[in-house]
Amino acid sequence: MSFKPRTPSRARLIDPSPHDLRRLVLDYLLHNCHTTAARAFLRESGVRQPNTDENDPIAYVPEKDMSDIELRILETRFTMGLLRKEIRTLILTGRIDDATELIKKHYPSVLSEPTDDAPHSTVRRFDYLPATSTDPTHLALNLRIQAFIEAARTIPLPYCPPGADTPLPHPPLLSATAAATLASAGGGEDSVMTEGEGESESEQSNAQLLHRAQSLYSEVNRLSRAADRATYLVELGQVGGILAYTVPERSPLATYMTQARREAVADQIDSAILHHAKKLSVSRIELYTRYTSTIWSMLHDKDIPVPPRSKWPANASLPPTREPDTQPTNKSSGSLDNAIPTAKKASPEKETDEVLPRFDLHLFVESQGSR
């Protein structure tokens, strides 16, 4: 029997229990691969925790909030979070080939087209679609293009994980220009090459880069969709331009050599892993926030008036709004403080024909902090 998440009732949505809120926090931590923080949260919040002992995986700390099926799903999410974090870290450090092998081993459907006889799932509930492509062909090509960029790198680009004091070890630079760059920067005796060695290494690395580029062009030309071929041929024409520069990090194409480029690839791959695993590509708290913001904005744009307070659910209130812009009261001070609009909590007692306001997350968080 397949496990189906329970749809929260209207009453639970309006007045969630501590257990509901705890699930929301746990989902956020696991979605963002904060597995250590998630385990600590489980211990502190009293939820049963999966046993990490491989010899006794079904041992749990007694608690009544979660069923055994839910705990097994939770344990799977812990494992998935660790793998997703490892894949992301490999991409962010430039180890694209290692990341690709890990994806093929644990999530093969992410980089390979499904077979014709594969079962097709039907979406029966509201889901948030990923913002980037999840097409295996696109993902595989994007990884290969990033691998080409890493092979052409001449200056190390270290990655320091959040919360870490030192960056992770950088993979060896494949470009022969890198050795010359390090030597000119005072890389030491190990970085110094003779003229003959330098020419030989340069010719070999350039040949490898050229072979990578030709392989990419061949793969793009084999794409079945003409639109995809056109898109990727344009991108390869731009990315391939880094071959024209001795140090591409200092060229007009330096944007391809940045950490932001690695992060974009890592984000797309992580989103695709979640999508192919039938998981939301955003955390539930982000999904609910987007949904709430969209609904309130639609009501505001359609000029829906505020209903009488007698029809409001218990403990309901309007989203906070900003005071209208006013002139500074202290003209001699020159301070801008008085000109900055502040959050204003809507009065629930007021029954007028005013239109329902939009939901502003920043104002909402600000108003909660001032309580």
Side-chain angles (χ1 to χ4, degrees):
M1 181 178 66
S2 61
F3 171 75
K4 296 182 179 179
R6 291 169 293 181
T7 303
S9 64
R10 184 171 181 268
R12 287 176 59 194
L13 289 174
I14 296 175
D15 188 19
S17 67
H19 179 56
D20 296 326
L21 299 177
R22 192 165 56 219
R23 283 171 177 261
L24 206 59
V25 174
L26 186 59
D27 174 81
Y28 173 83
L29 294 174
L30 290 174
H31 176 83
N32 290 281
C33 302
H34 301 314
T35 52
T36 302
R39 291 191 184 279
F41 180 75
L42 282 172
R43 289 193 299 269
E44 297 298 327
S45 62
V47 181
R48 287 188 293 181
Q49 183 179 3
N51 191 354
T52 57
D53 185 359
E54 295 180 356
N55 297 322
D56 190 16
I58 315 298
Y60 304 102
V61 180
E63 226 284 339
K64 297 181 179 180
D65 282 346
M66 304 181 77
S67 67
D68 287 342
I69 293 179
E70 290 174 306
L71 283 167
R72 290 176 188 273
I73 293 175
L74 184 61
E75 189 173 6
T76 301
R77 291 194 66 184
F78 269 108
T79 303
M80 185 178 185
L82 291 172
L83 285 171
R84 287 170 51 218
K85 185 175 183 179
E86 184 178 359
I87 292 170
R88 181 178 182 85
T89 301
L90 287 172
I91 296 175
L92 293 178
T93 53
R95 301 178 185 273
I96 308 302
D97 292 339
D98 293 340
T100 302
E101 290 302 317
L102 205 58
I103 296 169
K104 289 180 178 178
K105 178 180 179 180
H106 296 282
Y107 307 106
S109 63
V110 172
L111 299 180
S112 61
E113 293 287 354
T115 57
D116 294 336
D117 55 351
H120 299 281
S121 61
T122 303
V123 177
R124 297 183 179 180
R125 58 189 178 86
F126 174 74
D127 279 337
Y128 178 83
L129 297 178
T132 54
S133 173
T134 59
D135 188 316
T137 303
H138 298 167
L139 299 172
L141 266 175
N142 291 344
L143 283 172
R144 291 197 60 186
I145 292 173
Q146 187 61 33
F148 169 78
I149 292 173
E150 299 298 337
R153 192 176 299 282
T154 62
I155 300 176
L157 183 62
Y159 167 66
C160 189
D165 297 328
T166 57
L168 297 176
H170 194 279
L173 297 177
L174 303 180
S175 173
T177 309
T181 304
L182 291 175
S184 64
E189 295 181 356
D190 294 339
S191 300
V192 178
M193 296 186 295
T194 65
E195 183 177 352
E197 290 174 342
E199 292 179 356
S200 176
E201 289 288 340
S202 179
E203 291 177 0
Q204 185 177 10
S205 63
N206 288 339
Q208 291 177 353
L209 286 175
L210 186 58
H211 176 73
R212 284 175 178 263
Q214 292 173 340
S215 178
L216 281 172
Y217 271 103
S218 297
E219 187 170 344
V220 168
N221 284 321
R222 288 196 300 268
L223 293 176
S224 58
R225 292 189 289 267
D228 288 346
R229 287 198 302 272
T231 299
Y232 277 99
L233 284 174
V234 170
E235 182 170 359
L236 286 182
Q238 296 172 343
V239 175
I242 62 180
L243 293 175
Y245 299 93
T246 304
V247 183
E249 291 86 349
R250 298 170 184 165
S251 73
L253 300 177
T255 182
Y256 290 106
M257 316 301 293
T258 61
Q259 189 66 24
R261 169 83 186 193
R262 288 177 174 175
E263 291 176 356
V265 175
D267 289 342
Q268 183 183 31
I269 293 298
D270 187 60
S271 180
I273 290 174
L274 291 169
H275 175 76
H276 285 273
K278 304 296 187 295
K279 306 293 183 183
L280 289 173
S281 59
V282 296
S283 64
R284 292 200 171 275
I285 193 169
E286 180 177 348
L287 178 66
Y288 296 159
T289 302
R290 290 173 180 265
Y291 181 77
T292 301
S293 179
T294 300
I295 291 298
W296 282 92
S297 294
M298 290 178 61
L299 294 174
H300 177 83
D301 292 342
K302 292 182 177 296
D303 296 328
I304 303 300
V306 176
R309 178 166 167 72
S310 58
K311 296 184 178 180
W312 292 14
N315 302 321
S317 62
L318 294 177
T321 57
R322 288 194 182 278
E323 291 276 11
D325 293 342
T326 57
Q327 295 295 325
T329 55
N330 189 353
K331 297 182 180 180
S332 61
S333 66
S335 172
L336 295 178
D337 294 342
N338 294 324
I340 300 176
T342 57
K344 175 185 176 183
K345 296 181 180 179
S347 173
E349 302 295 339
K350 189 176 181 180
E351 296 186 12
T352 64
D353 292 333
E354 64 177 323
V355 175
L356 288 169
R358 288 189 173 90
F359 177 79
D360 188 315
L361 177 61
H362 298 286
L363 277 179
F364 176 77
V365 173
E366 180 183 320
S367 66
Q368 299 302 302
S370 61
R371 284 187 173 183

